[in-house]
Structures are given as C-alpha cells and as structure tokens.
Amino acid sequence: MWMCSICGYEFDGEEFLNEDGYVCPLCESKDSYRKRDMSMEIEMAVREIKNND
Ligand SMILES: [Zn+2]
C-alpha cells in the first residue's frame, strides 16, 4: 500500500510506475508518497490503547 503525502491518495501495486518513478494519479506529484508501514501503524494503535488504560 502506497500513500501520497500531498493529497493522501492510497493505492496498491505498481500501476503508476513509470520511468520517473511513481506519479500520483490524483495530484500528479512525483516522489511525494511513501509506503505505508502497517506494522508501525499497529504499534502506534497499541500504544494509544495502552495510554487510554
Ligand atoms: Zn497525490
């Protein structure tokens, strides 16, 4: 899963890969997105739950 850091558009796979790299289909910005790290998001969620305890 990839997510554009400009507009927040999420997408799977490599369908937007071209010779310049990934281009966001929504805002057409290049190199603006990062791979979503699910393990990190889970860890943050767990931490939040612990803080609420
Ligand atoms: Zn975008």
Side-chain angles (χ1 to χ4, degrees):
M1 179 69 84
W2 295 80
M3 191 172 121
C4 177
S5 62
I6 304 294
C7 70
Y9 184 81
E10 293 178 350
F11 52 95
D12 277 314
E14 316 233 317
E15 60 260 49
F16 303 115
L17 187 66
N18 64 23
E19 60 187 9
D20 295 321
Y22 286 94
V23 177
C24 178
L26 213 62
C27 64
E28 296 184 338
S29 61
K30 292 176 186 175
D31 303 322
S32 62
Y33 35 103
R34 53 194 170 82
K35 209 165 194 173
R36 285 186 73 184
D37 190 339
M38 294 310 264
S39 62
M40 197 155 107
E41 288 187 20
I42 291 167
E43 193 183 302
M44 282 170 68
V46 168
R47 210 169 290 173
E48 213 166 286
I49 291 166
K50 282 181 180 172
N51 286 342
N52 289 337
D53 192 17

